[in-house]
Amino acid sequence: QSALTQPPSASGSPGQSVTISCTGASSDVGGYNYVSWYQQHPGKAPKLMIYEVTKRPSGVPDRFSGSKSGSTASLTVSGLQAEDEADYYCSSYAGSNSPYVFGTGTKVTVL
Amino acid sequence: EVQLVESGGDLVKPGRSLRLSCTASGFTFGDYYVAWFRQAPGKGLEWVSFVRSKAYGGTTEYAASVKGRFTSSRDDSKSIAYLQMNSLKTEDTAIYYCSRPGPCGGDCYSIDYWGQGTLVTVSS
């Protein structure tokens, strides 16, 4: 199972929006509504930001939103804040043998 | 408060074995499957293995890269999960995280609680 494709980097000024794409195939992103997004700050464990494509866990700001079209999922961060600067990874279910397939990761920089 | 604490990471030579432990607290451990992930230095996340709850047979699944070398298990009486790693290779060098799925119900393929990670270095 190949990794999902994300852009290596994305950036925006405080208050702006940034959207990160996550491209897979019909066997993963396109075939299931089990896409998650994780935020990871340096030296820290990942933090769940979005699950099941669009759902936000308790405590995650509504500035974070998820969507999916075909085999591409997206994470949008609106109203960028300094603390949003981190690495972001998407993940998708791809069958019982590959329950977690991750994206290549995107480094978000707040200018 | 849900907590997951990994231990057992170390520097080992190629071909050797190591066992990681994941001690859980703050929730009913036996109700959840436990997943292991790893992250090589400067690299992305990779799923390693999971062990289902006893309600689902306590069965295990493994990534192709570790199948046949790694074994996941659990002791619900102690709220501890284990990852036995045999025939270690240099490419197994990574931070290893144990985790709990959530917050979805039923079939759930997202992780809402992660341990702090434990570093495994495989080098001669």
Side-chain angles (χ1 to χ4, degrees):
Chain A
Q1 184 65 45
S2 300
L4 308 176
T5 301
Q6 297 180 232
S9 63
S11 62
S13 299
Q16 289 186 332
S17 294
V18 65
T19 297
I20 305 166
S21 61
C22 170
T23 302
S26 58
S27 57
D28 40 61
V29 175
Y32 306 94
N33 286 323
Y34 291 126
V35 176
S36 302
W37 289 90
Y38 300 89
Q39 176 192 67
Q40 188 178 34
H41 287 108
K44 300 294 186 182
K47 176 186 177 182
L48 181 66
M49 306 304 284
I50 295 289
Y51 68 102
E52 293 180 349
V53 181
T54 61
K55 298 176 182 178
R56 268 181 294 106
S58 173
V60 172
D62 60 6
R63 302 185 293 103
F64 291 85
S65 62
S67 63
K68 189 182 86 166
S69 177
S71 297
T72 297
S74 298
L75 173 72
T76 297
V77 185
S78 305
L80 268 174
Q81 298 182 6
E83 59 262 35
D84 299 333
E85 185 162 293
D87 292 326
Y88 291 82
Y89 294 93
C90 63
S91 173
S92 175
Y93 179 78
S96 58
N97 290 332
S98 299
Y100 293 91
V101 176
F102 285 95
T104 48
T106 299
K107 182 174 181 58
V108 169
T109 301
V110 181
L111 301 171
Chain B
E1 180 192 7
V2 172
Q3 284 196 318
L4 299 161
V5 179
E6 303 95 338
S7 58
D10 204 350
L11 168 64
V12 295
K13 295 184 186 316
R16 296 293 183 91
S17 298
L18 199 62
R19 189 178 80 161
L20 305 182
S21 299
C22 171
T23 303
S25 61
F27 66 101
T28 305
F29 181 73
D31 287 350
Y32 294 84
Y33 73 78
V34 176
W36 290 90
F37 297 87
R38 67 185 181 183
Q39 188 169 32
K43 302 297 184 182
L45 296 164
E46 179 187 14
W47 168 70
V48 173
S49 174
F50 70 71
V51 52
R52 294 181 177 88
S53 66
K54 289 294 189 286
Y56 290 85
T59 53
T60 54
E61 303 289 346
Y62 302 94
S65 56
V66 306
K67 199 168 188 176
R69 300 188 299 123
F70 289 15
T71 302
S72 288
S73 62
R74 60 191 299 155
D75 184 338
D76 291 352
S77 68
K78 297 180 179 178
S79 297
I80 300 178
Y82 301 100
L83 184 66
Q84 177 68 43
M85 305 184 294
N86 298 332
S87 303
L88 282 161
K89 306 176 181 181
T90 55
E91 53 264 40
D92 294 320
T93 294
I95 295 172
Y96 284 73
Y97 295 100
C98 72
S99 67
R100 192 203 82 167
C104 33
D107 288 341
C108 188
Y109 300 100
S110 58
I111 300 294
D112 64 352
Y113 287 99
W114 300 72
Q116 84 287 353
T118 188
L119 178 62
V120 173
T121 304
V122 184
S123 174
S124 54

